[in-house]
Amino acid sequence: MKKNTFVKFISVSMAFAALLVSCKSKKTSEERLNEVVVYTYDSFAGEWGPGPELVKLFKEKTGYTLNLVDCGDAVQAYNRAVLEKKDVQADVVLGIDNNLAPKALKEGILESYKPLEADNKVLFDLRHEKSLGGNWNLTPYDYGYFAIIYDTQSSVPAPKSLEDLTLPVYEKKIILMDPRTSTPGLGFASWTAAVYGEKLSDYWKALKPNILTMTSGWSEGWGMFQNGEAPLCISYNTSPAYNVEYENNDRYVTLIFDEGHVMQVEGFGLLKNAPNKKGAKAFMDFMISIDAQKVLPLTQWMYPANHGFNLPESYKTAAPLPTKVLEYDASKNDDYVQTIMDVLGK
C-alpha cells in the first residue's frame, strides 16, 4: 500500500530531526580519545560472549572505555567498516577471518600495526601470510575448524562425510548460514569448494533438498539447532565443549570427516584514519595478552592465539581436532559464493 504525501513528509522530517539530534549528541574529541570503538559481531559483544569481561579488564589495565559495537555477524562488521572508510567512526574492526582478509586488504580499510611482543605471544602458524595476509594488517586472536555438529538424540544416523550430507535421509535436516552475511556460512562454502573444486555446483545441487534453512548469522542458526529444529548444523569443532562445560551435556558432538576440514583464523585490525589510534593500539596489545586470551576459551569457544596457558578440560573431551586440514584460495570466495547462490536461486 502506498503511503500518502503527508506521511512521507512526516517520515522525512522525523529522519532529519533524528539526524540533528545525532549530530548534537556527538562526543567531544576529548571524550572520544578516552574511548576505543570496536566493530564486531553479536556472539563476541553479547552477554554470553567475551565482550563484558574484556570491557572490564581493558578498563582496569589501561583506563580506556571499550565500546564493542554489535554489527550482527562479522561480515556485517566488515561491511560497515567499508561503508564508513571515508568517514571512519570506529578504531578497530574485530572478526575479520582468513576468508574475509583478502577483501579487507583489497578495500584498503586497514593500517598495519604489530602489537607489542606479538612474535612471542601469537602462534607462529597463525602469523604466516596464508592466514590473514601478513604484514600485521590483521592480528590473529583465535582460531578453530569448521565442522558439522550432530544431535545424538536425532533419529537419523550421523553422516561420515560431506558427501553423506547429500543423502536422502538428511532431507531438510541441515541448518546452514548465508555465506554473504555469515563467517560460518562462508566457511562452509569454502570447505565445500576445497573438497569439490570444479564440481562445487554439482555438490550444492545434490545438497539443496537437505537444507532446512540458511540463516543470516550463526546465533540464529545455532539457536534453531539447539531448539531441535534440525539434527545437523554448521558450526565449529569446539562448539559442543560449551554444553559439556556448563550443562554437563554431551548430546551434541563434532563430526570429523575424512575429507578434511578448513581452519578459521579470526583477526582484528586498526582502521585507517581511526579517531583514536593510540587507544586502538592499546586495545590490540591487550587482546593478545594472557589476561585477555584466557577469557576466550569459555566465552568465545575458540582456541586462543596465545597458548601460554592450559585449555579447559571440556576442550579435551568435546572438541576433537581434524586429522586433515585443507587449503583453498580465499581470494576466489566471491566466485564460490556466486556459484552456490546461483544453485540455491538466491
Side-chain angles (χ1 to χ4, degrees):
M1 180 185 295
K2 286 188 176 182
K3 296 181 179 179
N4 60 37
T5 304
F6 176 75
V7 173
K8 288 182 179 178
F9 174 77
I10 291 296
S11 298
V12 172
S13 298
M14 290 176 66
F16 182 68
L19 180 60
L20 288 177
V21 170
S22 175
C23 291
K24 287 180 181 179
S25 64
K26 277 190 175 180
K27 295 179 180 177
T28 66
S29 58
E30 185 177 349
E31 289 176 320
R32 184 61 178 84
L33 292 178
N34 289 322
E35 178 187 45
V36 180
V37 177
V38 178
Y39 285 171
T40 187
Y41 47 94
D42 49 9
S43 60
F44 190 94
E47 179 183 359
W48 302 108
E53 182 63 20
L54 292 175
V55 167
K56 178 183 173 183
L57 284 174
F58 187 58
K59 183 72 171 181
E60 292 174 354
K61 299 289 181 182
T62 68
Y64 285 109
T65 296
L66 177 59
N67 181 5
L68 295 174
V69 180
D70 176 359
C71 298
D73 199 274
V75 175
Q76 293 164 309
Y78 158 75
N79 287 337
R80 183 166 174 178
V82 171
L83 287 171
E84 295 176 353
K85 69 178 181 179
K86 292 185 179 180
D87 183 23
V88 181
Q89 301 298 310
D91 303 304
V92 175
V93 60
L94 183 148
I96 295 182
D97 68 357
N98 45 315
N99 282 313
L100 279 174
K103 296 179 74 172
L105 297 177
K106 186 177 179 180
E107 282 287 349
I109 62 172
L110 302 171
E111 179 178 321
S112 177
Y113 174 68
K114 184 177 182 179
L116 297 177
E117 300 183 44
D119 286 335
N120 297 323
K121 293 180 178 178
V122 178
L123 287 171
F124 177 77
D125 288 348
L126 305 183
R127 290 188 267 123
H128 59 65
E129 187 174 346
K130 289 183 180 178
S131 290
L132 294 174
N135 199 34
W136 297 101
N137 285 294
L138 289 162
T139 298
Y141 63 91
D142 69 17
Y143 69 100
Y145 303 90
F146 292 110
I148 294 294
I149 310 302
Y150 171 66
D151 183 349
T152 60
Q153 293 185 9
S154 165
S155 61
V156 298
K160 297 180 180 179
S161 64
L162 285 176
E163 189 65 28
D164 280 357
L165 294 178
T166 66
L167 296 174
V169 70
Y170 301 115
E171 183 177 359
K172 301 296 181 184
K173 296 291 193 294
I174 304 170
I175 294 173
L176 299 178
M177 289 106 215
D178 193 324
R180 297 167 297 186
T181 57
S182 164
T183 45
L186 186 56
F188 185 73
S190 301
W191 185 10
T192 58
V195 172
Y196 289 96
E198 294 181 358
K199 296 182 178 179
L200 180 65
S201 180
D202 293 336
Y203 176 76
W204 277 83
K205 287 176 183 176
L207 181 68
K208 183 177 179 179
N210 296 351
I211 302 171
L212 173 67
T213 187
M214 182 175 272
T215 62
S216 62
W218 177 86
S219 295
E220 181 186 358
W222 186 250
M224 292 178 64
F225 172 67
Q226 296 229 300
N227 285 334
E229 296 187 39
L232 298 164
C233 183
I234 181 64
S235 192
Y236 301 91
N237 68 310
T238 50
S239 295
Y242 169 87
N243 303 93
V244 170
E245 182 74 28
Y246 289 124
E247 300 172 358
N248 196 28
N249 178 2
D250 59 1
R251 172 177 173 176
Y252 307 107
V253 297
T254 297
L255 302 179
I256 299 299
F257 292 163
D258 290 340
E259 298 140 316
H261 294 247
V262 295
M263 176 189 283
Q264 181 190 36
V265 181
E266 292 190 295
F268 51 79
L270 173 65
L271 289 169
K272 281 185 179 177
N273 302 314
N276 187 1
K277 191 173 294 187
K278 183 179 178 181
K281 291 179 178 180
F283 172 74
M284 295 170 74
D285 294 343
F286 165 75
M287 270 303 296
I288 62 170
S289 69
I290 290 289
D291 288 332
Q293 291 277 297
K294 276 186 173 181
V295 177
L296 302 183
L298 295 182
T299 55
Q300 182 72 347
W301 299 100
M302 296 281 275
Y303 297 100
N306 186 332
H307 272 205
F309 56 95
N310 293 324
L311 290 172
E313 190 65 27
S314 56
Y315 273 65
K316 300 174 185 176
T317 60
L321 291 167
T323 55
K324 181 180 179 181
V325 179
L326 302 170
E327 292 188 359
Y328 59 94
D329 186 353
S331 67
K332 294 182 179 179
N333 276 336
D334 284 346
D335 294 334
Y336 303 150
V337 171
Q338 187 60 57
T339 295
I340 292 167
M341 292 300 106
D342 286 346
V343 170
L344 298 181
K346 291 179 178 269

